[in-house]
Amino acid sequence: MFKNYFLVAVRTLRRNLGYTMLNVIGLALGITCSLLLFLVIRHELSYDTFHSKADRIYRINVDKITANGPEDNAGTPFPMLATIKASLPELSPATHLYNAEGGTFTIVSNNDRVPAKKFREEKNVLFVEPAFFDLFDFPTNGVNAKQALKDVNTVLLTQTIADRFFPGENPVGKVLRMDNVVNLKVTGVIPDAPENTDLPYVMLIDYESSKKINTFMNDTWNSTNSNQQVYFAMAPEASVKQAEDRLNQITSKYRRISPGEQERYTFQPITQVHFDERYGNFTGRTISKTTLWALGLIGMFLVLVASINFVNLATAQALRRAKEVGMRKVLGASKPQLMTQFLCETGLITLVALLLSVVFAELLLPFLNQLLELQISFSILRDAQMLLFLLVVLVAVTFFAGFYPALVISGFQPISALKSKVATARVAGLSLRRTLVVVQFTICQVLIICTIIVHNQMEYFRSASLGFDQEAIVNIPVPAGKAGDLMALRSQLESHSAVKATSFAIAPPSANIDMNSSFQYDDFSVNRNFSVNLKLADENYLKTFGIPLLAGRMYEKSDTMQEFVVNETFLEKVGVKDPQEAVGKKLLVNGGQTEGKIVGVVKDYHLSSLRNEIPPVVMSTMTQVYFYLNAKIEQKNAKAALAHLQNVWQTAYPDDVFYYEFFDDSLARFYEEEQRQAHLFKVFSFIAIVIGCLGLYGLVSFMVAQRTKEVGVRKVLGASSASIVGLFSADFVKLVLIAFVIAGPISYYFMDKWLQDFTYRIDIGYWVFLAAGALTLFIALTTVSVQALRAAFSNPVRALKTE
Amino acid sequence: MLKTVNLQKKYTTDEVETTALVNVNLNVRQGEFVAIMGPSGCGKSTLLNIIGLLDNPTSGEFFFLEKEISKFSERQRANLRKEHLGFVFQSFNLIDELTVYENVELPLIYLKVSNAERKQRVEQVLEQMQIAHRRNHFPQQLSGGQQQRVAIARAVVSKPKLLLADEPTGNLDSAHGQEVMQLLSSLNEQGTTIVMVTHSPTDADYAHRIVNLFDGQIISENVKELAIL
Ligand SMILES: Nc1ncnc2c1ncn2[C@@H]1O[C@H](COP(=O)(O)OP(=O)(O)OP(=O)(O)O)[C@@H](O)[C@H]1O
Ligand SMILES: [Mg+2]
């Protein structure tokens, strides 16, 4: 029986090759996308789920409410861990993690004649306690990692780093010097950190050593740093809520909080760390569950659009099968038997599409990985989840795409089917097909609208004025606490003609470095319930970044805080209208330790990404905390300028590794995640449109074929070609318009929500909708016209002969 | 074998009501060869379709193999069809995607006949219809007469008790038509009951009895002396 079904299916499909190809390619495209999205979603959901205690590991976060709005992060004061160990025994094991982000590593050689090799690591240098290995299950490849990091001044290298630092050698026992301050003995080599962790590391260093690197961290309750985090496992039966309350009782005794501020320490399950952008993580990348849902929906939509093609084409084709169905019924085939037959046929097409899409997915995965900067791979046969996914897709698509056509076809009355008298309209399920086409158009339009809006917001990010120059500026880190060494060589730095200006500062204008301070303004009598953002930079800062002053002047050169410059928001917050009025007023900052005069007011500029508002800023000098040399250079002589800067820099810091980044590149990184999402949207909506067009093309060619005779008659009666194209197009124009009315509000709702995440955002103009509608209309009409024109220009006599 | 009592068939569409059959009482005995004749539109095909369980009468009774089956469900009728009935149509109605062999095999597949037996029965009936040498051809590659022989092979391969033929020679030239009629006649001699609709008096000559239909009513029956014996 099935052999017979199979034979008929294969022969029918081969005979209608065009139709088969449309279906297979459409389905394969849809399934490929859903497969790729499945891989992406699965990857994102797998972050840190591989630890055996994953369901009870937590991170301590803090939710702060300040007058500037909520400030959530994952930084904890240093003494907190000791307190937990003493008072909350159910939180065990617990460990500090310190992410040094980058560092300079010198291979200490005991041979003086061999020059020391130096390496710069930009990120993921992680300091951990031995308990780290009790808590997490990272691969160690048999190395007793806990033992290896028991002593101070020890380091475990990952394989990649071991190969880079010590090519062809056994690194164990060798000594690395970090940032020229601490010697670390290599005690082992472990595999690279897995891709799916939010605790990525290139090496693991014993936690004690971090105190020499992280000089800002002191042993008080009032200093926190978001790179200093605490993870712990909760005892299986313990209550999270109770433990949180107890911890907050304890911390509230020690923490000093500005008036009007509130804070609460909360426990975040490790499995949520990847999805909550409020607290971030060491990868610098989070993805919201909403985004994952959106991706999943897009995957489903693409399969849906392809399945709709199938339903449309198959029902349109049903007439061709009438004779066969009639005869099978005469021979005693039952309706369920016929349904089975046609479902099998759909299943066969789906299976072919499925196999094709596995091949496509293999081919496209490298591009997707590149786009998303991920390293996803799959080996279909060993991947049970994947096979299950494919099976589900196979069954779902077969039923979704095949059920209705099978129902229609198997429902033919044998006598009328044999007489080819099955009413066209009924068979073709005209209203159903219209509905399905509307669904397709709606999905396409929603995707187009979303893509345009996401794209516009990205363009806005790129082009919005941030209030400072970003072109041709390089940011060069200087070793912590040693900015003075290079500042002494300033005249030398600026001696090159391609170096226009230089400024030392804690950070460039927009960077994720915040120093908050309470303050007192003017007569010190009013208690303000908000803190200010201290921006510490030298006197050349405004000039280098082209930030204009509104009143007064820039402060004078100084190594410590003497004079202040404030921004517009600051004035607004303290209630001063005229910038001139603020000049000369007294200001107290830094926990009441520093008093000085405001000498100038600067125009507002952005301190971080456009997601955030501009906070009140107080600028002043403090050489000790300058981490960056920012240099404005001549774009066309960038190479020479950089070489010169490196030269001078190296004179000041002979033991360190020079590196730099162009400012506009680092700014672009703020929106990396959004950029990626924008790319995804673009790619997938493009594919949705392609699939939709395939279906439309097939449907119209079928309609045209069916109405060849009608077209012939009309032409004989004098109809013009244009009016015949119009005949076919009018219907589709209506459908596009209906879809437009549905798609508009849906996409407005979602995009409005999405935009709410950004403080600075575009307005959704009505033209976006018009453009999307026009685009869909254009695509639909082009597809329809190509076919309709063929009919219109055909010879009417020939058309009439085809009976 | 089959008997109709006051069989009526009305087609009702939106505007018109057509009475295709009026009080038809027909009795066909085992082994008979009956021809139904009459002008176009008089209800011959309608009657044949009802007898063939492809259609339901509007009223009246229909006994097939001693059972009253006018109220049978679609499923029950499908089962009766595949076990006891064979059909031959004017337009052959072979399935284009199947070869001669596969077309003939199809009824046996629906009857769930075993593989080996199927092969043997198909081969045998192809020989009998003198079409075995074309077993791997597709219908479009055959002449009309050949196609009709395949259709007959398909109709009789399941050894039906009753063979129904609606103008089996209608699409054939007279030489091929006679060939087909001789095949039917020899099948009848081997025991198959046949009811055939035809416009051709020559074809009708092969039958034992001719039923004349006019405006949905049986107006006369001619029994050939030879057949009465
Ligand atoms: N599906 C139908 N709906 C409505 N009327 C029908 C239908 N089928 C047949 N009729 C009508 O019933 C009557 C009998 O039709 P039938 O096909 O049985 O005629 P026939 O004797 O076989 O004619 P012919 O010799 O041309 O094949 C005709 O008047 C026809 O119009
Ligand atoms: Mg007829």
Side-chain angles (χ1 to χ4, degrees):
Chain A
M1 181 86 71
F2 282 93
K3 184 176 151 233
N4 183 271
Y5 293 169
F6 182 77
L7 278 177
V8 173
V10 169
R11 288 174 192 158
T12 314
L13 295 178
R14 215 168 42 201
R15 201 164 57 131
N16 303 319
L17 202 61
Y19 154 82
T20 310
M21 296 292 280
L22 278 182
N23 266 332
V24 169
I25 291 178
L27 273 180
L29 273 179
I31 297 174
T32 305
C33 293
S34 71
L35 193 59
L36 290 174
L37 287 169
F38 166 77
L39 288 170
V40 170
I41 293 169
R42 181 174 69 169
H43 175 80
E44 299 291 353
L45 288 177
S46 74
Y47 271 67
D48 286 307
T49 51
F50 55 87
H51 307 293
S52 58
K53 301 188 185 71
D55 56 336
R56 52 194 187 92
I57 298 178
Y58 293 83
R59 179 172 74 174
I60 299 185
N61 292 335
V62 59
D63 295 344
K64 260 191 213 174
I65 296 175
T66 73
N68 297 334
E71 280 172 17
D72 305 319
N73 73 76
T76 47
F78 183 78
M80 184 177 278
L81 185 65
T83 307
I84 288 175
K85 284 183 174 163
S87 324
L88 294 161
E90 70 268 38
L91 275 52
S92 166
T95 176
H96 268 135
L97 291 178
Y98 175 67
N99 181 2
E101 296 198 347
T104 304
F105 296 89
T106 316
I107 296 173
V108 179
S109 122
N110 27 22
N111 183 344
D112 285 348
R113 272 171 300 177
V114 178
K117 275 206 283 182
K118 281 184 282 181
F119 298 92
R120 175 77 209 169
E121 276 308 312
E122 297 286 0
K123 54 183 185 187
N124 301 341
V125 175
L126 208 60
F127 291 81
V128 303
E129 291 178 301
F132 179 85
F133 300 100
D134 295 331
L135 198 53
F136 302 111
D137 296 282
F138 287 107
T140 53
N141 205 6
V143 173
N144 186 342
K146 193 175 175 188
Q147 190 64 28
L149 287 191
K150 232 175 74 171
D151 298 327
V152 71
N153 298 344
T154 52
V155 58
L156 278 169
L157 301 183
T158 57
Q159 192 64 51
T160 305
I161 293 294
D163 292 344
R164 170 145 11 111
F165 287 9
F166 303 100
E169 288 178 79
N170 180 2
V172 177
K174 299 267 169 41
V175 176
L176 283 177
R177 189 164 173 77
M178 180 172 179
D179 289 355
N180 294 311
V181 289
V182 57
N183 281 354
L184 304 167
K185 191 170 125 204
V186 179
T187 50
V189 176
I190 52 174
D192 287 352
E195 169 87 2
N196 55 344
T197 178
D198 286 316
L199 301 169
Y201 50 81
V202 295
M203 61 180 82
L204 294 171
I205 304 173
D206 78 280
Y207 183 73
E208 279 304 306
S209 302
S210 74
K211 293 174 184 167
K212 295 184 195 114
I213 303 289
N214 180 16
T215 48
F216 284 92
M217 197 67 195
N218 47 38
D219 213 340
T220 74
W221 276 96
N222 286 306
S223 168
T224 63
N225 175 340
S226 57
N227 279 335
Q228 158 84 40
Q229 306 187 348
V230 171
Y231 277 83
F232 64 86
M234 193 85 190
E237 279 89 35
S239 146
V240 171
K241 178 80 176 58
Q242 275 172 22
E244 263 183 15
D245 288 346
R246 288 237 303 291
L247 179 67
N248 280 288
Q249 270 165 26
I250 299 168
T251 55
S252 61
K253 276 188 273 175
Y254 300 110
R255 293 272 296 162
R256 188 155 37 76
I257 306 175
S258 314
E261 286 189 4
Q262 286 172 32
E263 69 171 23
R264 179 176 168 83
Y265 287 91
T266 53
F267 301 164
Q268 180 184 35
I270 192 172
T271 46
Q272 294 303 316
V273 168
H274 194 61
F275 310 109
D276 200 334
E277 91 280 356
R278 285 177 299 165
Y279 310 102
N281 62 55
F282 290 162
T283 62
R285 191 176 77 85
T286 57
I287 186 160
S288 70
K289 285 264 170 82
T290 320
T291 307
L292 290 181
W293 272 109
L295 291 179
L297 268 181
I298 291 178
M300 275 170 25
F301 278 159
L302 288 169
V303 174
L304 186 71
V305 171
S307 302
I308 287 177
N309 280 354
F310 194 102
V311 176
N312 276 340
L313 290 175
T315 41
Q317 281 264 333
L319 276 182
R320 292 202 183 166
R321 307 297 292 272
K323 189 175 95 176
E324 177 192 341
V325 173
M327 201 54 224
R328 282 180 186 271
K329 282 203 156 180
V330 166
L331 293 178
S334 65
K335 194 168 166 170
Q337 272 173 327
L338 285 166
M339 285 209 55
T340 314
Q341 180 188 345
F342 286 101
L343 278 175
C344 285
E345 220 163 272
T346 313
L348 187 71
I349 292 187
T350 313
L351 188 67
V352 173
L354 206 66
L355 296 178
L356 258 185
S357 56
V358 171
V359 176
F360 287 172
E362 285 274 13
L363 294 175
L364 293 176
L365 195 57
F367 298 101
L368 188 73
N369 275 331
Q370 204 178 6
L371 188 71
L372 301 179
E373 292 172 41
L374 294 174
Q375 275 157 25
I376 304 173
S377 61
F378 73 99
S379 59
I380 169 115
L381 292 178
R382 267 176 288 143
D383 191 336
Q385 269 180 359
M386 178 78 148
L387 288 174
L388 187 69
F389 173 79
L390 291 177
L391 189 70
V392 169
V393 170
L394 177 67
V395 173
V397 171
T398 301
F399 271 89
F400 186 78
F403 190 79
Y404 181 75
L407 195 69
V408 169
I409 296 175
S410 63
F412 289 166
Q413 287 305 313
I415 310 164
S416 21
L418 284 177
K419 281 197 209 149
S420 302
K421 256 206 200 151
V422 190
T424 319
R426 205 188 71 79
V427 172
L430 210 51
S431 61
L432 177 94
R433 284 217 309 252
R434 287 220 175 92
T435 314
L436 291 179
V437 170
V438 168
V439 171
Q440 271 186 324
F441 280 141
T442 307
I443 293 174
C444 285
Q445 289 196 35
V446 168
L447 286 174
I448 293 175
I449 294 172
C450 293
T451 307
I452 296 178
I453 292 173
V454 171
H455 176 83
N456 285 347
Q457 179 69 21
M458 291 303 114
E459 274 307 297
Y460 173 73
F461 282 154
R462 270 176 6 112
S463 61
S465 167
L466 298 173
F468 50 80
D469 292 349
Q470 40 178 299
E471 269 101 58
I473 291 176
V474 276
N475 310 131
I476 303 163
V478 295
K482 294 201 268 184
D485 299 3
L486 189 56
M487 286 174 88
L489 304 176
R490 176 164 247 153
S491 57
Q492 211 181 320
L493 273 176
E494 294 183 350
S495 68
H496 196 281
S497 64
V499 179
K500 294 288 171 214
T502 59
S503 166
F504 290 83
I506 187 166
S510 281
N512 285 324
I513 295 180
D514 282 332
M515 272 183 91
N516 288 311
S517 168
S518 56
F519 75 101
Q520 302 270 277
Y521 174 71
D522 198 14
D523 61 359
F524 299 173
S525 61
V526 192
N527 228 333
R528 320 262 175 192
N529 63 350
F530 63 95
S531 56
V532 292
N533 198 304
L534 271 185
K535 199 83 190 167
L536 300 164
D538 70 6
E539 70 284 0
N540 289 339
Y541 197 73
L542 299 186
K543 188 179 84 188
T544 306
F545 288 102
I547 304 169
L549 276 166
L550 294 177
R553 59 169 172 86
M554 185 55 168
Y555 43 66
E556 299 286 344
K557 180 174 182 327
S558 164
D559 279 338
T560 55
M561 284 196 222
Q562 298 293 336
E563 299 173 317
F564 298 109
V565 166
V566 297
N567 73 349
E568 286 176 276
T569 305
F570 177 89
L571 293 192
E572 207 177 291
K573 289 245 174 182
V574 297
V576 176
K577 292 250 158 43
D578 179 14
Q580 215 63 52
E581 191 188 309
V583 176
K585 292 282 183 335
K586 276 191 298 182
L587 194 64
L588 191 68
V589 295
N590 206 13
Q593 289 165 32
T594 314
E595 188 182 327
K597 270 209 172 78
I598 295 174
V599 296
V601 176
V602 73
K603 196 165 169 9
D604 270 348
Y605 59 89
H606 283 274
L607 264 75
S608 59
S609 82
L610 293 173
R611 262 180 294 257
N612 306 318
E613 275 180 66
I614 298 175
V617 169
V618 171
M619 299 181 66
S620 190
T621 43
M622 195 197 259
T623 307
Q624 179 63 25
V625 300
Y626 295 164
F627 291 130
Y628 283 93
L629 161 63
N630 307 291
K632 175 101 182 162
I633 59 175
E634 247 177 42
Q635 192 85 300
K636 53 183 195 302
N637 288 326
K639 247 197 171 132
L642 277 167
H644 172 75
L645 291 169
Q646 171 163 17
N647 222 337
V648 181
W649 191 95
Q650 209 76 68
T651 323
Y653 312 114
D655 292 332
D656 289 284
V657 182
F658 174 87
Y659 68 107
Y660 67 91
E661 185 166 38
F662 277 97
F663 190 30
D664 40 9
D665 291 343
S666 70
L667 287 174
R669 270 216 309 278
F670 278 145
Y671 312 111
E672 256 178 346
E673 202 48 44
E674 280 86 4
Q675 286 286 6
R676 281 189 208 131
Q677 289 173 18
H679 281 310
L680 272 187
F681 265 117
K682 278 182 213 171
V683 170
F684 288 118
S685 36
F686 177 73
I687 293 175
I689 293 166
V690 170
I691 298 174
C693 284
L694 282 181
L696 210 54
Y697 185 83
L699 195 58
V700 177
S701 34
F702 188 80
M703 276 173 44
V704 170
Q706 266 196 331
R707 292 169 75 173
T708 312
K709 196 171 162 196
E710 178 191 338
V711 170
V713 174
R714 281 176 188 265
K715 284 194 78 171
V716 170
L717 296 177
S720 68
S721 294
S723 76
I724 289 185
V725 174
L727 180 74
F728 286 104
S729 311
D731 219 23
F732 284 95
V733 172
K734 244 186 291 167
L735 300 185
V736 170
L737 291 181
I738 296 171
F740 178 69
V741 171
I742 304 170
I746 293 178
S747 35
Y748 180 84
Y749 173 79
F750 284 109
M751 290 329 280
D752 192 53
K753 258 185 129 171
W754 181 75
L755 285 173
Q756 297 304 324
D757 277 357
F758 307 101
T759 310
Y760 300 90
R761 54 183 178 254
I762 53 166
D763 293 323
I764 304 179
Y766 63 91
W767 67 269
V768 173
F769 299 93
L770 293 185
L775 187 63
T776 334
L777 200 59
F778 174 77
I779 293 170
L781 282 184
T782 314
T783 317
V784 173
S785 302
V786 170
Q787 280 295 330
L789 277 175
R790 280 223 318 241
F793 285 122
S794 64
N795 183 341
V797 179
R798 265 235 316 273
L800 285 176
K801 270 200 205 146
T802 56
E803 245 299 59
Chain B
M1 162 132 264
L2 70 87
K3 189 171 124 191
T4 69
V5 181
N6 291 338
L7 208 60
Q8 286 240 23
K9 179 71 184 177
K10 281 185 192 152
Y11 291 107
T12 2
T13 50
D14 292 342
E15 290 113 41
V16 281
E17 194 186 83
T18 323
T19 308
L21 296 176
V22 189
N23 291 334
V24 171
N25 293 298
L26 180 69
N27 206 333
V28 179
R29 272 163 298 148
Q30 182 92 35
E32 251 193 313
F33 189 158
V34 177
I36 300 173
M37 295 190 76
S40 190
C42 69
K44 305 182 294 292
S45 298
T46 306
L47 179 59
L48 203 70
N49 287 336
I50 291 173
I51 293 174
L53 308 176
L54 292 172
D55 210 348
N56 275 330
T58 314
S59 66
E61 290 173 327
F62 176 37
F63 294 91
F64 180 68
L65 297 174
E66 320 302 326
K67 271 175 271 178
E68 210 295 304
I69 53 105
S70 59
K71 298 286 176 308
F72 267 32
S73 73
E74 169 59 37
R75 178 138 213 176
Q76 286 169 306
R77 287 190 286 135
N79 280 333
L80 282 178
R81 276 206 299 275
K82 79 178 161 196
E83 277 171 42
H84 303 299
L85 296 175
F87 291 86
V88 178
F89 297 95
Q90 177 179 355
S91 53
F92 323 138
N93 285 329
L94 297 174
I95 294 174
D96 296 334
E97 276 72 33
L98 296 178
T99 61
V100 166
Y101 184 94
E102 289 157 357
N103 262 291
V104 176
E105 188 188 22
L106 197 55
L108 300 182
I109 292 178
Y110 281 117
L111 279 171
K112 305 208 163 74
V113 173
S114 79
N115 229 329
E117 190 187 340
R118 231 156 55 204
K119 193 167 159 50
Q120 185 229 322
R121 276 167 73 173
V122 174
E123 288 297 347
Q124 191 200 329
V125 75
L126 287 177
E127 290 298 339
Q128 192 185 350
M129 299 296 146
Q130 294 153 35
I131 196 77
H133 56 298
R134 294 275 190 258
R135 65 165 69 75
N136 290 323
H137 284 56
F138 284 94
Q140 303 94 311
Q141 299 163 333
L142 302 178
S143 74
Q146 287 170 330
Q147 289 192 44
Q148 196 59 302
R149 292 215 299 270
V150 176
I152 295 171
R154 182 179 60 185
V156 299
V157 71
S158 56
K159 308 215 171 97
K161 294 202 168 61
L162 176 63
L163 184 65
L164 301 169
D166 195 344
E167 300 183 42
T169 61
N171 280 4
L172 302 175
D173 60 44
S174 59
H176 281 116
Q178 288 319 301
E179 230 175 69
V180 165
M181 285 316 300
Q182 268 148 25
L183 276 174
L184 291 180
S185 186
S186 68
L187 281 169
N188 177 245
E189 276 157 28
Q190 286 158 36
T192 313
T193 313
I194 298 180
V195 177
M196 174 182 76
V197 168
T198 184
H199 282 290
S200 146
T202 335
D203 290 358
D205 267 354
Y206 287 85
H208 307 155
R209 180 154 61 110
I210 298 170
V211 175
N212 286 305
L213 219 55
F214 188 78
D215 264 356
Q217 279 176 291
I218 297 182
I219 49 162
S220 64
E221 295 194 29
N222 318 354
V223 181
K224 271 168 67 180
E225 289 125 54
L226 239 173
I228 307 171
L229 291 173

